[in-house]
Structures are given as C-alpha cells and as structure tokens.
Amino acid sequence: MSSVAGLTGSPSRCCFQVSVGSSASRCRRVSNLPRAEKSVLLRAERSYWAGVTQRLNARKTHVIKCSMDASFGDMSNEPTAIFPRINVRDPYKRLGISREASEEEIQGARNFLIRQYAGHKPSEDAIESAYDKIIMQQFYARKNPNIDFKKKFRAVSQSRVVQAVRSRFRTPATQFIIKTSIAFIVLGALTFLFPTEEGPTLQVAISLLATIYFIHERLQSKWRAFLYSAGAFVFSWLVGTFLMVAVIPPIPFIKGLRSFEVITSLITYVLLWVASTYLK
C-alpha cells in the first residue's frame, strides 16, 4: 500500500483510498527541521512520490489492459478475410488453377490460399476439400488411365512413316473410282459364286491384268505400271494369307476345300483396287 499526496494506492487492485491524518503529521515533522535541510528533504520527498505515482499509473494501465484481454480476447481491428470462391463446386476453379497444373502448382496454390485466409474455418475447410479432391482424381487417373484414341490416332497419322505412305497416294476423278470399283466387284462376285476345284486362279490373273491396265491409264508409263502392279500383287497376296492364318477366324457360310484361297483372293482384290485406284 503506497501513499501519494494524501491518497493510498494498491498496485494489486489498481484503486486509490484516502488516508486520514497523514498530511498533517508529515507537515509537523518537516517544520521542526532547519530551513536548508527542510528544503532538501522536501525536494527528495517530492521526487520520491512522483516516481511512485508514475509506477502506480503504469501498473493501473497494465491491469486494465490485461482485464480487457481476458474479457474480450486478443481482438484485431480488421475482420478475418473470407475466401470468395468458397461455394465453387469445381475444385480446380476453387483453387484458381488449370486442369493441366502440376503437383507443385497445386500444392503452391493450396499453401498460398491457406496462408491468405487463415483464421476463417469455413474458408480453410473449402480450400482443403478442393485440394483433397484434386489429389484423389489424379491418383485414380494414374491407377486407371483412360486411352485417348483420338490422340493416339492423331499421333500415328502424323508420324513420318504414315506421312511417307500417304504421300504415295492421291485421289483420282470420281468416274475412274467408279470404273475400278465395278471391275473388282465383278471379279470378287465371280470368285465367291463360282469356286472351282483348282481355286480362283483365272480371276486372280485377271485382277493382276486389270491392275496393270488401270495404273498405266493413270500414270501413262508401262514400266511403272508393270512394277507397281507386280509389287502390289505380291504384297496383297502375302497380307491376305497372313490375315487368314493369324487373324480372321473360319467363316461359316464359306465352306469347301478352297475356302482359304477364296477368302485370300477377296482380300487381294481389295488391296489391288486400292493400288490401281489411288497409287501415285
């Protein structure tokens, strides 16, 4: 308990009480001293009580502030920020990233938003939920990859081998396509409807001559027509044989000892028609 100018201050409770008789007794004690000593004593006493008063005021301010903090908490002047995309359903749009974003970009966006909107529980939950959904989607995509056939076809069609093969073909006039189609359809019908014990040898020979004729009509070169036709015939027959042995199962409605040669001949006609019509 400290006395200041007739007041008593208690630092523990930050209150002031009036003290009775302290001023009169102090004045009587000072009046009995010599004048010089009295002046020094009075200055020392005033300095002492000024320091005590300053310390009491500081303690009072500290106690009041502590009481307010205990009652209202450590309150900030600015309100907590709220995440503006808290109700966006798409997790990528909620985090503000693209669907092609890498794992580092996703993690960086999540950390940035968590720091920016820390303290607001619904905002933090919305950010964490979007991050978890994206991570789970990427996990399932790696575990069960979907084949993009359009992308695969585009990659194959743009390869150098396919480009080189396509450069050897061109589309002729419509009348020429109709003429070659009729010729090979007739050969296929004769081979299928009238099979012989010797096999479709005659029809295959006619198909080779027809290929030479059509290529010569387009290219106007006998040697090129003969070489292209011979190469196309050998290639077509080998491909037809391979398909019949390794790929195509037995066809029920084509029976007989010569069914293998008949189907191989039909496949050969298709490839020879492509060569005689589109080969450049």
Side-chain angles (χ1 to χ4, degrees):
M1 195 77 70
S2 299
S3 176
V4 181
L7 299 177
T8 302
S10 176
S12 60
R13 297 188 180 182
C14 295
C15 61
F16 295 92
Q17 298 176 356
V18 178
S19 60
V20 180
S22 59
S23 177
S25 61
R26 190 163 56 251
C27 291
R28 285 194 299 271
R29 286 197 303 268
V30 172
S31 61
N32 296 327
L33 294 175
R35 186 173 183 179
E37 294 180 3
K38 184 189 304 182
S39 177
V40 173
L41 182 60
L42 290 175
R43 285 199 298 269
E45 188 176 1
R46 283 198 297 268
S47 176
Y48 170 76
W49 290 114
V52 171
T53 303
Q54 186 177 4
R55 288 195 297 272
L56 286 175
N57 290 334
R59 289 188 180 184
K60 179 180 179 182
T61 304
H62 176 71
V63 171
I64 293 174
K65 183 178 184 301
C66 294
S67 300
M68 292 179 65
D69 291 343
S71 301
F72 302 102
D74 189 8
M75 299 175 64
S76 176
N77 294 331
E78 297 181 359
T80 305
I82 301 176
F83 186 40
R85 298 188 297 273
I86 192 172
N87 295 322
V88 176
R89 297 179 62 87
D90 191 342
Y92 291 93
K93 293 182 180 179
R94 188 184 300 174
L95 294 185
I97 57 177
S98 64
R99 295 186 176 274
E100 290 76 22
S102 62
E103 293 185 3
E104 291 77 11
E105 293 173 340
I106 298 171
Q107 182 72 27
R110 177 258 181 196
N111 294 339
F112 173 77
L113 294 175
I114 286 293
R115 288 194 301 268
Q116 186 174 3
Y117 299 101
H120 189 256
K121 191 64 167 58
S123 298
E124 294 178 353
D125 293 342
I127 296 168
E128 292 289 357
S129 176
Y131 175 76
D132 293 341
K133 287 181 180 179
I134 293 175
I135 294 301
M136 292 304 297
Q137 288 177 4
Q138 292 188 348
F139 173 75
Y140 285 120
R142 288 193 298 268
K143 189 176 180 181
N144 303 310
N146 295 325
I147 300 176
D148 191 351
F149 291 101
K150 291 183 179 180
K151 187 176 181 180
K152 293 289 185 182
F153 178 77
R154 191 183 307 111
V156 172
S157 62
Q158 293 177 355
S159 63
R160 294 183 178 181
V161 176
V162 175
Q163 292 292 336
V165 173
R166 291 177 63 179
S167 64
R168 300 302 306 167
F169 294 87
R170 66 181 178 185
T171 303
T174 305
Q175 293 181 353
F176 187 81
I177 295 175
I178 294 174
K179 182 167 62 176
T180 56
S181 300
I182 292 173
F184 282 98
I185 288 174
V186 171
L187 289 173
L190 292 175
T191 302
F192 180 77
L193 295 176
F194 304 102
T196 60
E197 293 182 0
E198 294 80 11
T201 307
L202 179 62
Q203 292 90 330
V204 171
I206 295 173
S207 66
L208 177 58
L209 294 176
T211 304
I212 296 173
Y213 171 76
F214 291 130
I215 292 179
H216 177 266
E217 184 178 352
R218 287 193 302 108
L219 303 180
Q220 299 298 317
S221 174
K222 294 181 180 180
W223 287 105
R224 291 176 65 186
F226 177 77
L227 291 176
Y228 285 0
S229 300
F233 178 79
V234 173
F235 175 79
S236 303
W237 190 263
L238 291 176
V239 171
T241 303
F242 170 76
L243 293 177
M244 283 301 302
V245 172
V247 179
I248 301 177
I251 300 177
F253 58 86
I254 301 179
K255 298 180 180 179
L257 298 175
R258 299 297 178 182
S259 60
F260 182 86
E261 289 83 356
V262 170
I263 300 176
T264 304
S265 300
L266 296 176
I267 297 173
T268 303
Y269 296 159
V270 174
L271 297 178
L272 288 177
W273 171 77
V274 173
S276 61
T277 306
Y278 298 97
L279 191 63
K280 183 167 64 174

